[in-house]
Amino acid sequence: MTLLSSMLEFNKNFVENKDYEQYATSKVPAMKAVLLTCMDTRLQELSTKALGLKNGDVKTVKNAGATITHPYGSTMRSLLVGIYALGAEEIIIMGHKDCGMGSLDVEKVKSTMKDRGIKQEVMDIIIHSGIDVDHFLGGFNDVYENVQENVKLVYNHPLFDRSVPVHGLVIEPHTGEVELLVNGYDHVEK
């Protein structure tokens, strides 16, 4: 049985048994916040449980490195929609120690792409189109700096309401211990 087949079989039973009922919640976050965190598997549940959050408390946005890579990309859009359309009143950006994006070897990633069939001519076309592939695939050197830079990016976005607090946190993925880097309440504009 394939992974997809086993998941779909589980889902069939999940629906038939009405297991979904325990997860019923509003589409508006109860705690009125949006959490941007990393897609790291260790944070699947830990990122919310370590903060005392349950299903429906926050809108959760996840990506590689909890990083806003473009001011008009999908991550920033999700944060803005959370604020302006879905009732969130705060943003939490939470990176984590031992993040794969903090030690990503871009040359190895590109080599793996080539090994899996991506032709050099495709890479050349992308590069000649003005895309910095190394930057696009790259990570960061320091999770603390990354979180702080992302907080600044949100605050400085021309579409952002600066009366909304943006908090910066770093979580330890082995223990769940959270460090406060930026207390957004200290930076809001009235």
Side-chain angles (χ1 to χ4, degrees), residues 110-152:
K110 291 191 306 187
S111 176
T112 302
M113 288 177 167
K114 290 175 186 172
D115 291 348
R116 294 184 67 167
I118 304 300
K119 305 258 186 271
Q120 182 60 47
E121 61 196 31
V122 171
M123 292 293 239
D124 292 341
I125 289 169
I126 292 170
I127 292 165
H128 293 308
S129 297
I131 304 297
D132 181 344
V133 175
D134 290 355
H135 179 74
F136 172 71
L137 294 173
F140 50 82
N141 294 322
D142 183 285
V143 67
Y144 296 97
E145 288 176 11
N146 188 57
V147 169
Q148 290 171 333
E149 287 301 314
N150 282 285
V151 168
K152 285 181 198 171

Side-chain angles (χ1 to χ4, degrees), residues 42 73 81 84 87-88 94 97 99 129-130 143 168 172 174 179 189:
R42 298 170 294 178
V81 167
Y84 294 119
M94 185 166 64
K97 294 178 180 178
C99 183
S129 297
V143 67
E172 165 54 63
H174 302 289
E179 293 177 63
E189 293 180 12

